[in-house]
Amino acid sequence: MLVLTRRPGESLLIGEEIEVKIIESAPDRVRLGITAPNEVRVLRKELQQTIDENRQAAAPAPNLKNLLHDL
Amino acid sequence: MKIRTRDFGTIEIEDTSEITFVSPILGFEDRTRFVFLNDDSIGTHFAFLQSLEEPELCFILADPQAIVADYLPQLPAAFEKQIGEEDCMCWVLVVLKDTLENSTVNLKSPIVVNPARRIAGQAILEGDWPTRYPLIGGKGAR
């Protein structure tokens, strides 16, 4: 992981078309501004993790009754 | 009404048992009408969240209180506004694997139900709750 230090107002450039700007920072949170092409999806990490876990939860699975009776 | 289910065939349910998701299950935004089903032989710690719009879509839910002590999460303010102030119930989604030992629950993103209004939503909690916590044998979530 690349670790950099930025101050509010400063930016990072990712690839040719993505900019991440630090808008403001506070002791417990940072406000970021993201400029990216429409086709690049930008998502809070926990949202993507939730989507992934939801999809796994909906996938065909062994029968719960059988698993419980094996206990 | 009669509904087709993934795990219980075609069954009869009360119209009033329908739950509407006012805040969606992420990745399944177009499915908002569900019903909770129980199976006595499985017990009260599990429930089935069956879609009324897609018979093959059904989630297995677990009672988080049976998995981690004192699961009383702080819901995000915006979510609380949507779900209402009445007493709500939390369920967690189960990812069932080949054995119970390998199965996990998502403590980070519970399904929150307001039974009085018959609405529900999936909340994403602040703080480092795990998205994959062991269904059995876990040692503490935080």
Side-chain angles (χ1 to χ4, degrees):
Chain A
M1 176 181 286
L2 179 65
V3 179
L4 303 170
T5 300
R6 300 272 67 191
R7 293 199 169 83
E10 296 178 340
S11 280
L12 293 169
L13 298 177
I14 299 175
E16 309 276 325
E17 299 184 82
I18 299 173
E19 177 176 347
V20 179
K21 183 171 180 175
I22 316 303
I23 306 286
E24 69 180 301
S25 92
D28 65 340
R29 61 193 65 203
V30 174
R31 211 166 153 73
L32 304 170
I34 321 245
T35 311
N38 283 338
E39 62 269 19
V40 174
R41 194 190 50 205
V42 179
L43 211 53
R44 291 179 179 83
K45 182 172 181 178
E46 62 272 20
L47 258 63
Q48 185 60 56
Q49 286 175 326
T50 295
I51 291 171
D52 292 343
E53 286 308 300
N54 287 348
R55 293 216 174 107
Q56 291 235 337
N63 186 292
L64 177 59
K65 224 185 286 208
N66 293 341
L67 289 182
L68 285 171
H69 290 164
D70 288 344
L71 258 185
Chain B
M1 57 178 165
K2 263 198 175 45
I3 63 165
R4 283 162 51 217
T5 69
R6 187 189 68 176
D7 298 339
F8 303 98
T10 300
I11 62 172
E12 185 74 41
I13 60 164
E14 300 284 344
D15 292 3
T16 54
S17 56
E18 177 171 335
I19 302 279
T20 304
F21 271 70
V22 299
S23 184
I25 299 172
L26 294 188
F28 295 87
E29 284 78 6
D30 55 349
R31 299 291 179 237
T32 59
R33 298 174 54 222
F34 286 83
V35 65
F36 279 75
L37 300 175
N38 292 100
D39 183 339
D40 285 337
S41 70
I42 286 181
T44 54
H45 293 321
F46 291 102
F48 295 82
L49 185 63
Q50 170 69 52
S51 166
L52 294 175
E53 297 161 295
E54 189 181 327
E56 288 308 304
L57 181 62
C58 184
F59 296 96
I60 297 174
L61 302 177
D63 174 4
Q65 306 274 22
I67 300 173
V68 275
D70 301 325
Y71 185 77
L72 293 166
Q74 181 69 37
L75 299 177
F79 185 88
E80 274 192 323
K81 280 208 184 77
Q82 282 186 290
I83 203 73
E85 315 147 331
E86 293 84 355
D87 284 342
C88 288
M89 297 164 43
C90 273
W91 292 91
V92 290
L93 287 154
V94 178
V95 176
L96 209 55
K97 299 280 188 191
D98 54 335
T99 65
L100 293 177
E101 288 76 15
N102 290 341
S103 301
T104 59
V105 295
N106 182 349
L107 297 179
K108 174 80 173 172
S109 324
I111 302 295
V112 183
V113 188
N114 181 336
R117 297 194 198 181
R118 296 195 219 118
I119 61 176
Q122 181 169 40
I124 306 214
L125 306 177
E126 289 164 22
D128 59 81
W129 292 100
T131 54
R132 289 188 190 165
Y133 186 80
L135 178 61
I136 56 182
K139 303 227 177 349
R142 310 183 77 180

